[in-house]
């Protein structure tokens, strides 16, 4: 079991956005936390604003573990990961193997508890909200980088925003309208 948690701790050393120069580097652990916070907000918006019935706690747990396979595989930049169907499929297979390997590091009586979050049912509403939160986190990273003077993220910001809008998810639209604008403000403006 100690191996599993030692691997999970390595999430803080795996950098994100390796193809683009970042003003502030972000690691997978930070990213996973941000996705969990955003996913939780999306779940609450779904339930409280739009009458949904998603399990907000499950959403948070799925988000916390959504990148865990990358402690073994590393982060493959999005343009490469989705370059063509063969690469996408091969990378998905690699991620699945990495997740299965991590689960085997746990005591047998805990494996099913963790596998529910590490290898989730992708058809659930909870999983879909985490995928939305992951894209929102990518968008917010672009906003942060551009605000800090890094123009390398302009194209990514535009394409991710288009992708988010094309999802036609009420929760995502709500988040973009009500929460996302604050990420473009200075601390003084937030006060």
């Amino acid at each position: 079991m100690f191996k599993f948690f030692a691997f999970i701790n390595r999430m803080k050393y795996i950098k994100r956005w390796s193809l683009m120069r970042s003003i502030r580097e972000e690691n997978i652990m930070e990213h996973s936390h941000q996705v969990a916070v955003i996913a939780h907000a999306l779940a609450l918006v779904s339930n409280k604003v739009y009458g949904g019935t998603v399990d907000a706690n499950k959403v948070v747990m799925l988000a916390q573990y959504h990148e865990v396979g990358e402690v073994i595989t590393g982060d493959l930049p999005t343009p490469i990961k989705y370059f063509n169907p063969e690469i996408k499929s091969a990378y998905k297979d690699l991620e699945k193997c990495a997740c299965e390997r991590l689960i085997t590091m746990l005591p047998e009586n805990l494996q099913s508890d963790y596998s529910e979050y590490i290898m989730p049912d992708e058809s659930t509403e909870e999983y879909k909200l985490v995928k939305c939160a992951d894209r929102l986190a990518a968008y917010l990273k672009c906003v942060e980088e551009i605000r800090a003077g890094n123009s390398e993220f302009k194209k990514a910001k535009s394409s991710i925003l288009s992708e988010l809008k094309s999802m036609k998810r009420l929760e995502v639209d709500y988040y973009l309208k009500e929460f996302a604008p604050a990420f473009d403000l200075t601390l003084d403006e937030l006060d």
Side-chain angles (χ1 to χ4, degrees):
M1 182 164 177
F2 68 91
K3 288 180 185 177
F4 174 81
F5 291 108
F7 266 94
I8 299 301
N9 189 51
R10 291 186 183 160
M11 290 173 75
K12 66 185 174 192
Y13 299 112
I14 299 172
K15 304 293 185 226
R16 308 243 335 132
W17 302 98
S18 54
L19 282 181
M20 298 167 75
R21 180 186 61 81
S22 296
I23 302 273
R24 192 187 76 73
E25 287 189 359
E26 175 186 70
N27 62 48
I28 293 175
M29 192 175 277
E30 291 170 323
H31 168 72
S32 295
H33 174 75
Q34 183 182 32
V35 171
V37 170
I38 294 168
H40 185 250
L42 293 177
L44 293 179
V45 167
S46 175
N47 292 342
K48 305 264 181 183
V49 178
Y50 298 110
T53 59
V54 297
D55 180 342
N57 293 327
K58 184 175 183 178
V59 167
V60 170
M61 292 303 294
L62 290 170
Q64 270 311 121
Y65 289 102
H66 85 282
E67 301 280 19
V68 75
E70 290 185 11
V71 300
I72 293 175
T73 67
D75 183 28
L76 188 62
T78 299
I80 295 168
K81 194 184 302 185
Y82 299 108
F83 181 73
N84 67 38
E86 292 84 18
I87 291 174
K88 180 181 177 183
S89 177
Y91 190 71
K92 288 284 181 198
D93 290 343
L94 182 61
E95 281 182 324
K96 182 180 180 209
C97 289
C99 289
E100 288 170 348
R101 173 73 179 110
L102 284 168
I103 291 167
T104 65
M105 293 179 182
L106 290 161
E108 202 171 306
N109 62 336
L110 295 177
Q111 289 178 7
S112 65
D113 296 300
Y114 280 90
S115 64
E116 173 184 3
Y117 304 115
I118 294 172
M119 298 182 66
D121 176 354
E122 295 181 9
S123 69
T124 67
E125 191 62 20
E126 287 83 1
Y127 179 84
K128 291 173 185 175
L129 285 179
V130 171
K131 293 303 282 181
C132 292
D134 195 27
R135 296 313 292 153
L136 280 165
Y139 173 75
L140 296 175
K141 172 64 175 172
C142 294
V143 169
E144 174 186 38
E145 286 289 329
I146 292 167
R147 200 167 84 48
N150 186 355
S151 61
E152 281 195 47
F153 281 78
K154 284 182 180 179
K155 185 176 178 186
K157 179 186 176 195
S158 177
S159 67
I160 294 169
L161 182 59
S162 293
E163 180 187 345
L164 288 166
K165 288 180 177 182
S166 74
M167 288 177 173
K168 302 209 181 303
R169 295 288 309 222
L170 295 173
E171 306 90 349
V172 171
D173 294 342
Y174 186 97
Y175 194 96
L176 287 169
K177 181 177 182 250
E178 299 295 331
F179 300 131
F183 287 82
D184 213 12
L185 301 175
T186 66
L187 280 175
D188 289 337
E189 293 169 327
L190 286 170
D191 189 16

